Structure formats: C-alpha cells, structure tokens
Amino acid sequence: MQVLVHGSELAAATASAALASVGHNVWWWPHEDMDWESLDRVDWLNSEPGLRERLDRHVERGDLTLVKGLGSLRRIDVHWVAVSPDQREGALARIEQVVSTLAEPTVLVNNSTFPVGTTERFEALLSRDDQYAVALPDMLEEGRSLATFERPARWLLGSESEVATRRVQELLRAFNRREDVFQIMPRRAAELTKLAINGMLATRISYMNEVAGLADSLEVDVEYVRQGMGADPRIGFGYLYPGCGFGGPNFSRDLMRLADVQHETGRESLLLEHVLDINEAKKETLFRKLWQHFDGELRGRTIAIWGAAFKPGTARIDHAPVLTLLEALWAQGVRVRVHDPAALSALGEACGAHPLLELVDGNMYDALEGADALMLVTEWKCYWNPDWQRLKRELGAKLVLDGRNIYDPSYVASQGLTYRGIGRRATP
C-alpha cells in the first residue's frame, strides 16, 4: 500500500519504520513543530531500541521516504495521523490539504489521542464517499515501541465502515498472523476505551501507592500485601507495584484528557482528580524519607540519584518523578549528582545550569562521590545488581532509598546499609 504518515511523535516514527519493513511504500511527513533537522537530534528517537537503525535502513533501501510536503504524491491508500494533542488544529489543516489533492479512495487512520469525537470530525473533512476515517488509538510502550507495534496484544479499531476495516486489517496483516487481535467497535468507543484503560492503570498504581504508605505507618512490609492481593484472581499482579510516582508524555496526558472529557460532559471526576493528586504527592516520597532519616537536617548534604527518565528504555523525562524530587531537594540546599544511561541531555535542558545539580555521564558509581545517600528513581537494568560493598564505602550515611522496590531489603541490610523502599524497610 501507499502510506502517508503525518506526525513527529514516537507513534509516527514507529509506524513508519514498521510499515516500511513489511513491504508498504511509506512517506513520512513530520509536523512543522518538529522538522527533520530537529527530529534528527532528539534523544527519544535515537535511544528507542532498534528504531533509528530500522528507519535509516529503509530510507536507504527506498521503502521509506522522508518528505517535507506532498510534492507530486497523488495516490494515498492510507493516511496515518500520529500527532500530539496540542497539534490537533494543525492536523485538521493538513488533512484538508491532503484530501484536496487526492483522486483515489483512501482511509484516514487517527492514531492520535484527541478528544472523543475527533475521528468523526476528521471524516467530515473528506470530500468523497469512498474516503473514510477510523480511530486506531496509539497503544505503544516507550522503550519497546517496535515490539509493541509488531507483536500487539490487541488493536482497538474504531470503524463504522466495512471497507475501511478491511483496509486497516490488510495494512497490519503482517503483525496479526497468530490470531485476530482486532477489537472492532464504533469510533467514539475506541477513543474513550484508550483513555479509560490508562485511567484504570493509573488508579491501580495510585491505590497501591496508598497501600504502601499505610504499610509504612503500620510497619508492615508491603511486599506481603502485594503478593496477597495479586494472588487473588479478581485482581492479578499487573500494575500492582508501588513506587515513587509515574510520569511520561502519554500516560499523564491521557489522564488529563480523560478528566477533560468528563468535565466537558458535565461530570466531575473526583476519582481521577484524587488519582492525579496521589501521584504528584508520591513523587516526593523519597524526599520525605530522606527528611525523616536526617531529622530535617539536609542543608549542605549531597545525594546521588540513579535514574532520571520516566521509565527504563527511554530518554524522556516528561512529568518524570525526578523533576519534582529535584525541586524538593534544592529547596533544602541539597546538592544532587544524577546518573542516567539515556536521559541526562533532556534533564540538562530542563534544569539548565543549576548550581546544585551535577550530571554524571559514564560510570554510575561516579555519582556516589561525596554522597550521603543514594536514591534509585528509575529501574534501569544496570542498577539492579550493584556492588554493595562499594556503596557501603562511598555513601557517608550508608543509606539507600529505593523508589521502585527492586532491591531485597534484608540483603541490603546484611551488607551494612540502611534500606528504605516504598512500604519496605530494613536496618543493619
């Protein structure tokens, strides 16, 4: 098929690479807010596993063409739109520009997270009876975007046209061989389902974080509680891990979008507001544990932080817990040394040349120099099995604050270190 991908989001880059790799002819047209020169330098594109290599390979082969406009392109079987929510009006203008040049049947795929009803608005712009718009919400996971696109657990396809449904199924047939993973529903239902899924996941995370806080107060190890809850078949283990808050450009944005949808219909969501409030509060959890350990005497101390990205496998720090944590530490005069395998550049751009911040590239142990305590914020694999005796030698207060509960408290304590996790603790 002839596929035009419009957008500068991770979803656009991933779709371009994946569709070109299975025989489609793909033209990738970025949004004007992020042109090719800018895209070439962004950390998330270059750090996403396998993505940049795949894109470069198919550009070289000619399966993927990077364009700045429509040019002489007249036939488009599928117009794939993957832009950010604040680019919706620009996307509408682009769609009008595209359809004015087309003389062939086409299907517009809305792969963006817009307000419910936007796909119908897109279709209203199409000028022919054989042109259709469908909703195919972005379900990618950052850090493994190609894997989630090419081996999907499901596709939520909002389509009210049999012709459009068949074309999208054919477009993605190479990624749907083991079983039919399409869940076909009306367009508005697909748009709302995507938001509702992330709302439910966020609610589970925030509830588990509340339980972890209660466990701390009652001196109960939350891991026993988590295991007991997860073993109940009505609950399961997914998204049942307490931590120091979630972030990310899509997850947080989708929650806000769902809250906006409720507000626009006259329904205020006290639950969602509470979920968001809990999450923001949890981003300061490690700071509060540090404060308690030192009885509020923090000025002049140095803290090492491992991990800045909002999740492993990405260079993004959008709404990441580390941003809130840094502000709290700096307000108390704490010097911070941060190590991250991919996100230091983004953190440097966000924070500038702050006098209390040092970005430590290279060896993760270099961040421990002169530090009183270590905070684990992002659970990159390189942090899972550190040299505990080296930590004991380097950390002045021999304190480890685990924001993701990846360490065994009793083992850390046996190495002579004080351990404080989320709802977990151990002392030598």
Side-chain angles (χ1 to χ4, degrees):
M1 292 189 189
Q2 311 294 312
V3 183
L4 174 65
V5 177
H6 170 216
S8 302
E9 298 283 287
L10 177 61
T14 304
S16 298
L19 294 173
S21 70
V22 295
H24 298 298
N25 292 319
V26 181
W27 287 264
W28 183 11
W29 185 13
H31 192 273
E32 58 266 23
D33 291 350
M34 181 70 72
D35 57 17
W36 288 123
E37 290 73 18
S38 302
L39 270 173
D40 191 52
R41 297 190 299 270
V42 295
D43 290 329
W44 61 259
L45 179 59
N46 294 304
S47 65
E48 185 69 27
L51 182 56
R52 185 57 186 263
E53 294 82 359
R54 182 84 68 88
L55 290 167
D56 290 344
R57 181 165 68 249
H58 287 290
V59 168
E60 184 177 349
R61 291 182 181 178
D63 308 309
L64 173 59
T65 304
L66 311 181
V67 298
K68 296 183 178 180
L70 289 174
S72 59
L73 189 60
R74 291 295 176 267
R75 176 191 157 201
I76 301 173
D77 298 309
V78 174
H79 182 193
W80 186 287
V81 179
V83 299
S84 65
D86 58 352
Q87 296 169 343
R88 178 175 55 152
E89 296 305 317
L92 289 165
R94 285 284 183 98
I95 290 168
E96 289 184 309
Q97 181 182 354
V98 170
V99 299
S100 67
T101 68
L102 296 180
E104 299 286 340
T106 191
V107 172
L108 187 151
V109 175
N110 176 16
N111 191 226
S112 311
T113 301
F114 290 140
V116 175
T118 299
T119 306
E120 295 172 2
R121 189 177 173 189
F122 283 173
E123 184 162 285
L125 298 173
L126 305 179
S127 57
R128 296 164 50 115
D129 292 339
D130 55 4
Q131 296 174 342
Y132 310 95
V134 302
L136 191 74
D138 166 22
M139 306 294 283
L140 297 181
E141 295 181 30
E142 292 213 31
R144 51 191 305 268
S145 66
L146 279 172
T148 50
F149 191 102
E150 295 178 334
R151 294 185 292 279
R154 68 197 179 287
W155 292 102
L156 297 176
L157 176 57
S159 174
E160 289 152 44
S161 160
E162 186 177 346
V163 172
T165 297
R166 287 203 306 268
R167 183 169 299 183
V168 173
Q169 289 174 322
E170 177 62 23
L171 175 75
L172 300 172
R173 182 166 52 85
F175 314 120
N176 191 38
R177 295 191 67 189
R178 290 178 299 171
E179 59 179 321
D180 187 3
V181 295
F182 283 98
Q183 292 181 268
I184 301 171
M185 59 187 71
R187 290 173 293 198
R188 287 189 174 217
E191 292 168 334
L192 181 56
T193 299
K194 164 63 188 305
L195 298 177
I197 288 171
N198 279 352
M200 174 61 80
L201 297 179
T203 301
R204 284 177 66 100
I205 293 171
S206 289
Y207 178 73
M208 197 64 214
N209 281 335
E210 284 286 84
V211 171
L214 181 60
D216 256 338
S217 300
L218 298 174
E219 298 185 1
V220 172
D221 187 339
V222 77
E223 181 62 11
Y224 292 115
V225 182
R226 188 189 72 82
Q227 293 283 354
M229 292 174 65
D232 188 319
R234 298 169 298 177
I235 298 175
F237 287 97
Y239 284 77
L240 210 60
Y241 294 90
C244 57
F246 58 78
N250 296 324
F251 205 49
S252 302
R253 194 165 60 192
D254 287 355
L255 284 181
M256 296 300 295
R257 180 66 63 199
L258 182 57
D260 290 344
V261 167
Q262 298 227 44
H263 179 74
E264 289 168 4
T265 60
R267 299 174 60 86
E268 299 300 329
S269 176
L270 298 178
L271 174 61
L272 276 182
E273 291 176 9
H274 194 48
V275 166
L276 290 167
D277 289 344
I278 291 171
N279 187 56
E280 289 307 306
K282 291 304 175 183
K283 292 178 181 180
E284 289 190 353
T285 296
L286 296 185
F287 169 77
R288 291 194 293 270
K289 291 180 180 295
L290 185 75
W291 176 280
Q292 292 168 0
H293 184 83
F294 289 112
D295 295 323
E297 299 295 328
L298 297 182
R299 186 164 301 277
R301 296 193 180 276
T302 298
I303 301 300
I305 291 180
W306 282 355
F310 80 88
K311 64 177 288 187
T314 181
R316 291 184 188 258
I317 60 167
D318 309 61
H319 308 289
V322 74
L323 299 174
T324 302
L325 182 58
L326 287 174
E327 292 294 338
L329 291 168
W330 292 337
Q332 297 299 317
V334 177
R335 179 174 296 278
V336 185
R337 296 169 56 83
V338 182
H339 178 273
D340 188 282
L344 290 184
S345 177
L347 187 63
E349 290 181 14
C351 299
H354 197 286
L356 294 176
L357 173 65
E358 183 176 352
L359 304 179
V360 180
D361 202 358
N363 194 319
M364 66 189 196
Y365 294 104
D366 292 342
L368 306 179
E369 183 179 338
D372 294 289
L374 168 66
M375 293 181 172
L376 185 285
V377 177
T378 311
E379 66 275 29
W380 290 92
K381 289 301 183 184
C382 61
Y383 301 143
W384 279 68
N385 292 283
D387 182 340
W388 294 111
Q389 288 306 304
R390 184 167 182 176
L391 265 64
K392 182 180 177 181
R393 291 194 304 270
E394 297 274 5
L395 298 175
K398 298 176 176 45
L399 173 64
V400 174
L401 298 163
D402 180 2
R404 298 300 171 187
N405 285 4
I406 67 172
Y407 300 131
D408 180 339
S410 60
Y411 185 81
V412 176
S414 74
Q415 301 300 300
L417 293 153
T418 298
Y419 174 91
R420 296 291 182 265
I422 310 300
R424 311 192 78 191
R425 63 174 61 198
T427 303

